[in-house]
PDB file of all heavy atoms in Angstrom:
ATOM      1  N   ASN A 209     106.304  99.855 105.877  1.00  0.00           N
ATOM      2  CA  ASN A 209     105.326  99.312 106.740  1.00  0.00           C
ATOM      3  C   ASN A 209     106.048  98.502 107.797  1.00  0.00           C
ATOM      4  O   ASN A 209     106.296  97.389 107.722  1.00  0.00           O
ATOM      5  CB  ASN A 209     104.336  98.354 105.919  1.00  0.00           C
ATOM      6  CG  ASN A 209     103.135  97.860 106.699  1.00  0.00           C
ATOM      7  OD1 ASN A 209     102.918  98.457 107.865  1.00  0.00           O
ATOM      8  ND2 ASN A 209     102.471  96.864 106.286  1.00  0.00           N
ATOM      9  N   SER A 210     106.207  99.223 108.983  1.00  0.00           N
ATOM     10  CA  SER A 210     107.020  98.616 110.037  1.00  0.00           C
ATOM     11  C   SER A 210     106.221  97.921 111.132  1.00  0.00           C
ATOM     12  O   SER A 210     105.055  98.289 111.306  1.00  0.00           O
ATOM     13  CB  SER A 210     107.829  99.730 110.696  1.00  0.00           C
ATOM     14  OG  SER A 210     108.790 100.276 109.791  1.00  0.00           O
ATOM     15  N   ASP A 211     106.854  97.075 111.805  1.00  0.00           N
ATOM     16  CA  ASP A 211     106.335  96.508 112.970  1.00  0.00           C
ATOM     17  C   ASP A 211     106.109  97.520 114.036  1.00  0.00           C
ATOM     18  O   ASP A 211     106.914  98.504 114.146  1.00  0.00           O
ATOM     19  CB  ASP A 211     107.338  95.415 113.481  1.00  0.00           C
ATOM     20  CG  ASP A 211     106.709  94.177 113.917  1.00  0.00           C
ATOM     21  OD1 ASP A 211     105.606  93.850 113.397  1.00  0.00           O
ATOM     22  OD2 ASP A 211     107.254  93.491 114.790  1.00  0.00           O
ATOM     23  N   GLU A 212     105.058  97.336 114.749  1.00  0.00           N
ATOM     24  CA  GLU A 212     104.801  98.242 115.949  1.00  0.00           C
ATOM     25  C   GLU A 212     106.104  98.427 116.797  1.00  0.00           C
ATOM     26  O   GLU A 212     106.352  99.515 117.261  1.00  0.00           O
ATOM     27  CB  GLU A 212     103.706  97.674 116.697  1.00  0.00           C
ATOM     28  CG  GLU A 212     102.737  98.673 117.274  1.00  0.00           C
ATOM     29  CD  GLU A 212     101.587  97.867 117.962  1.00  0.00           C
ATOM     30  OE1 GLU A 212     100.835  97.206 117.232  1.00  0.00           O
ATOM     31  OE2 GLU A 212     101.402  98.089 119.121  1.00  0.00           O
ATOM     32  N   SER A 213     106.756  97.332 117.054  1.00  0.00           N
ATOM     33  CA  SER A 213     107.935  97.324 117.969  1.00  0.00           C
ATOM     34  C   SER A 213     109.112  98.124 117.400  1.00  0.00           C
ATOM     35  O   SER A 213     109.912  98.607 118.164  1.00  0.00           O
ATOM     36  CB  SER A 213     108.332  95.988 118.316  1.00  0.00           C
ATOM     37  OG  SER A 213     108.639  95.193 117.147  1.00  0.00           O
ATOM     38  N   SER A 214     109.222  98.197 116.105  1.00  0.00           N
ATOM     39  CA  SER A 214     110.428  98.794 115.504  1.00  0.00           C
ATOM     40  C   SER A 214     110.071 100.264 114.943  1.00  0.00           C
ATOM     41  O   SER A 214     110.913 100.950 114.507  1.00  0.00           O
ATOM     42  CB  SER A 214     111.002  97.911 114.454  1.00  0.00           C
ATOM     43  OG  SER A 214     110.307  98.075 113.174  1.00  0.00           O
ATOM     44  N   TYR A 215     108.813 100.521 114.969  1.00  0.00           N
ATOM     45  CA  TYR A 215     108.355 101.833 114.422  1.00  0.00           C
ATOM     46  C   TYR A 215     109.123 103.021 114.975  1.00  0.00           C
ATOM     47  O   TYR A 215     109.326 103.077 116.211  1.00  0.00           O
ATOM     48  CB  TYR A 215     106.857 102.108 114.719  1.00  0.00           C
ATOM     49  CG  TYR A 215     106.401 103.408 114.210  1.00  0.00           C
ATOM     50  CD1 TYR A 215     106.109 103.657 112.850  1.00  0.00           C
ATOM     51  CD2 TYR A 215     106.365 104.460 115.072  1.00  0.00           C
ATOM     52  CE1 TYR A 215     105.658 104.853 112.456  1.00  0.00           C
ATOM     53  CE2 TYR A 215     105.956 105.774 114.607  1.00  0.00           C
ATOM     54  CZ  TYR A 215     105.588 105.929 113.289  1.00  0.00           C
ATOM     55  OH  TYR A 215     105.217 107.174 112.893  1.00  0.00           O
ATOM     56  N   GLY A 216     109.696 103.906 114.126  1.00  0.00           N
ATOM     57  CA  GLY A 216     110.464 104.978 114.469  1.00  0.00           C
ATOM     58  C   GLY A 216     111.964 104.753 114.839  1.00  0.00           C
ATOM     59  O   GLY A 216     112.660 105.591 115.137  1.00  0.00           O
ATOM     60  N   LYS A 217     112.322 103.387 114.679  1.00  0.00           N
ATOM     61  CA  LYS A 217     113.754 103.085 114.943  1.00  0.00           C
ATOM     62  C   LYS A 217     114.401 102.500 113.677  1.00  0.00           C
ATOM     63  O   LYS A 217     115.329 101.744 113.771  1.00  0.00           O
ATOM     64  CB  LYS A 217     113.800 102.089 116.048  1.00  0.00           C
ATOM     65  CG  LYS A 217     113.111 102.486 117.348  1.00  0.00           C
ATOM     66  CD  LYS A 217     113.122 101.335 118.403  1.00  0.00           C
ATOM     67  CE  LYS A 217     112.140 101.585 119.544  1.00  0.00           C
ATOM     68  NZ  LYS A 217     111.282 100.406 119.734  1.00  0.00           N
ATOM     69  N   ASN A 218     113.971 103.014 112.532  1.00  0.00           N
ATOM     70  CA  ASN A 218     114.453 102.467 111.297  1.00  0.00           C
ATOM     71  C   ASN A 218     115.219 103.506 110.383  1.00  0.00           C
ATOM     72  O   ASN A 218     115.168 103.490 109.186  1.00  0.00           O
ATOM     73  CB  ASN A 218     113.249 101.861 110.503  1.00  0.00           C
ATOM     74  CG  ASN A 218     112.770 100.627 111.148  1.00  0.00           C
ATOM     75  OD1 ASN A 218     113.387  99.666 111.266  1.00  0.00           O
ATOM     76  ND2 ASN A 218     111.452 100.766 111.617  1.00  0.00           N
ATOM     77  N   ALA A 219     115.916 104.414 111.148  1.00  0.00           N
ATOM     78  CA  ALA A 219     116.587 105.542 110.456  1.00  0.00           C
ATOM     79  C   ALA A 219     117.432 105.095 109.261  1.00  0.00           C
ATOM     80  O   ALA A 219     117.462 105.680 108.267  1.00  0.00           O
ATOM     81  CB  ALA A 219     117.254 106.396 111.457  1.00  0.00           C
ATOM     82  N   GLU A 220     118.219 103.994 109.555  1.00  0.00           N
ATOM     83  CA  GLU A 220     119.123 103.627 108.518  1.00  0.00           C
ATOM     84  C   GLU A 220     118.501 103.114 107.213  1.00  0.00           C
ATOM     85  O   GLU A 220     118.894 103.489 106.104  1.00  0.00           O
ATOM     86  CB  GLU A 220     119.989 102.463 109.069  1.00  0.00           C
ATOM     87  CG  GLU A 220     121.477 102.752 108.943  1.00  0.00           C
ATOM     88  CD  GLU A 220     122.284 101.719 109.828  1.00  0.00           C
ATOM     89  OE1 GLU A 220     122.514 100.652 109.322  1.00  0.00           O
ATOM     90  OE2 GLU A 220     122.596 102.085 110.949  1.00  0.00           O
ATOM     91  N   VAL A 221     117.405 102.245 107.416  1.00  0.00           N
ATOM     92  CA  VAL A 221     116.611 101.741 106.315  1.00  0.00           C
ATOM     93  C   VAL A 221     115.979 102.908 105.517  1.00  0.00           C
ATOM     94  O   VAL A 221     116.084 103.054 104.291  1.00  0.00           O
ATOM     95  CB  VAL A 221     115.543 100.764 106.762  1.00  0.00           C
ATOM     96  CG1 VAL A 221     114.901 100.179 105.579  1.00  0.00           C
ATOM     97  CG2 VAL A 221     116.141  99.744 107.669  1.00  0.00           C
ATOM     98  N   VAL A 222     115.418 103.788 106.309  1.00  0.00           N
ATOM     99  CA  VAL A 222     114.714 104.960 105.719  1.00  0.00           C
ATOM    100  C   VAL A 222     115.653 105.732 104.863  1.00  0.00           C
ATOM    101  O   VAL A 222     115.406 106.100 103.704  1.00  0.00           O
ATOM    102  CB  VAL A 222     114.089 105.834 106.785  1.00  0.00           C
ATOM    103  CG1 VAL A 222     113.611 107.192 106.196  1.00  0.00           C
ATOM    104  CG2 VAL A 222     113.007 105.109 107.500  1.00  0.00           C
ATOM    105  N   LYS A 223     116.888 105.918 105.370  1.00  0.00           N
ATOM    106  CA  LYS A 223     117.785 106.712 104.693  1.00  0.00           C
ATOM    107  C   LYS A 223     118.283 106.080 103.414  1.00  0.00           C
ATOM    108  O   LYS A 223     118.466 106.754 102.226  1.00  0.00           O
ATOM    109  CB  LYS A 223     119.172 106.935 105.545  1.00  0.00           C
ATOM    110  CG  LYS A 223     119.845 108.199 105.355  1.00  0.00           C
ATOM    111  CD  LYS A 223     120.808 108.452 106.517  1.00  0.00           C
ATOM    112  CE  LYS A 223     121.971 109.234 105.929  1.00  0.00           C
ATOM    113  NZ  LYS A 223     123.180 109.126 106.806  1.00  0.00           N
ATOM    114  N   ARG A 224     118.392 104.700 103.413  1.00  0.00           N
ATOM    115  CA  ARG A 224     118.758 104.024 102.225  1.00  0.00           C
ATOM    116  C   ARG A 224     117.667 104.172 101.165  1.00  0.00           C
ATOM    117  O   ARG A 224     117.877 104.411  99.994  1.00  0.00           O
ATOM    118  CB  ARG A 224     119.025 102.527 102.598  1.00  0.00           C
ATOM    119  CG  ARG A 224     120.265 101.937 101.805  1.00  0.00           C
ATOM    120  CD  ARG A 224     120.502 100.489 102.197  1.00  0.00           C
ATOM    121  NE  ARG A 224     120.543 100.340 103.658  1.00  0.00           N
ATOM    122  CZ  ARG A 224     119.863  99.323 104.214  1.00  0.00           C
ATOM    123  NH1 ARG A 224     119.158  98.395 103.519  1.00  0.00           N
ATOM    124  NH2 ARG A 224     119.906  99.117 105.566  1.00  0.00           N
ATOM    125  N   LEU A 225     116.467 103.933 101.642  1.00  0.00           N
ATOM    126  CA  LEU A 225     115.301 103.940 100.659  1.00  0.00           C
ATOM    127  C   LEU A 225     115.085 105.374 100.102  1.00  0.00           C
ATOM    128  O   LEU A 225     114.664 105.506  98.955  1.00  0.00           O
ATOM    129  CB  LEU A 225     114.045 103.440 101.407  1.00  0.00           C
ATOM    130  CG  LEU A 225     114.047 101.999 101.835  1.00  0.00           C
ATOM    131  CD1 LEU A 225     112.772 101.763 102.697  1.00  0.00           C
ATOM    132  CD2 LEU A 225     114.065 101.065 100.699  1.00  0.00           C
ATOM    133  N   GLU A 226     115.376 106.317 100.908  1.00  0.00           N
ATOM    134  CA  GLU A 226     115.210 107.737 100.552  1.00  0.00           C
ATOM    135  C   GLU A 226     116.091 108.148  99.289  1.00  0.00           C
ATOM    136  O   GLU A 226     115.844 109.210  98.661  1.00  0.00           O
ATOM    137  CB  GLU A 226     115.372 108.672 101.631  1.00  0.00           C
ATOM    138  CG  GLU A 226     114.131 108.966 102.399  1.00  0.00           C
ATOM    139  CD  GLU A 226     114.329 109.819 103.642  1.00  0.00           C
ATOM    140  OE1 GLU A 226     115.375 110.001 104.112  1.00  0.00           O
ATOM    141  OE2 GLU A 226     113.283 110.277 104.166  1.00  0.00           O
ATOM    142  N   GLN A 227     117.133 107.375  99.054  1.00  0.00           N
ATOM    143  CA  GLN A 227     117.913 107.620  97.868  1.00  0.00           C
ATOM    144  C   GLN A 227     117.103 107.335  96.625  1.00  0.00           C
ATOM    145  O   GLN A 227     117.477 107.901  95.583  1.00  0.00           O
ATOM    146  CB  GLN A 227     119.186 106.746  97.937  1.00  0.00           C
ATOM    147  CG  GLN A 227     120.127 107.094  99.019  1.00  0.00           C
ATOM    148  CD  GLN A 227     121.212 106.171  99.243  1.00  0.00           C
ATOM    149  OE1 GLN A 227     121.361 105.109  98.492  1.00  0.00           O
ATOM    150  NE2 GLN A 227     122.136 106.407 100.188  1.00  0.00           N
ATOM    151  N   ARG A 228     116.010 106.605  96.775  1.00  0.00           N
ATOM    152  CA  ARG A 228     115.239 106.318  95.533  1.00  0.00           C
ATOM    153  C   ARG A 228     113.911 107.130  95.539  1.00  0.00           C
ATOM    154  O   ARG A 228     113.578 107.642  94.554  1.00  0.00           O
ATOM    155  CB  ARG A 228     114.859 104.817  95.482  1.00  0.00           C
ATOM    156  CG  ARG A 228     116.103 103.889  95.543  1.00  0.00           C
ATOM    157  CD  ARG A 228     116.841 103.952  94.083  1.00  0.00           C
ATOM    158  NE  ARG A 228     115.952 103.637  93.038  1.00  0.00           N
ATOM    159  CZ  ARG A 228     116.052 104.187  91.810  1.00  0.00           C
ATOM    160  NH1 ARG A 228     117.068 105.072  91.621  1.00  0.00           N
ATOM    161  NH2 ARG A 228     115.306 103.861  90.844  1.00  0.00           N
ATOM    162  N   TYR A 229     113.253 107.107  96.617  1.00  0.00           N
ATOM    163  CA  TYR A 229     111.924 107.834  96.723  1.00  0.00           C
ATOM    164  C   TYR A 229     111.824 108.414  98.140  1.00  0.00           C
ATOM    165  O   TYR A 229     112.311 107.964  99.035  1.00  0.00           O
ATOM    166  CB  TYR A 229     110.841 106.889  96.521  1.00  0.00           C
ATOM    167  CG  TYR A 229     110.879 106.090  95.255  1.00  0.00           C
ATOM    168  CD1 TYR A 229     111.371 104.797  95.106  1.00  0.00           C
ATOM    169  CD2 TYR A 229     110.439 106.740  93.982  1.00  0.00           C
ATOM    170  CE1 TYR A 229     111.438 104.172  93.922  1.00  0.00           C
ATOM    171  CE2 TYR A 229     110.439 106.032  92.838  1.00  0.00           C
ATOM    172  CZ  TYR A 229     110.972 104.801  92.795  1.00  0.00           C
ATOM    173  OH  TYR A 229     111.086 104.075  91.588  1.00  0.00           O
TER     174      TYR A 229
END
Side-chain angles (χ1 to χ4, degrees):
N209 186 15
S210 295
D211 222 28
E212 216 172 299
S213 56
S214 79
Y215 175 83
K217 301 177 196 135
N218 294 293
E220 233 167 81
V221 186
V222 169
K223 212 166 147 198
R224 219 177 315 132
L225 297 171
E226 269 175 346
Q227 290 171 0
R228 301 290 302 149
Y229 303 96

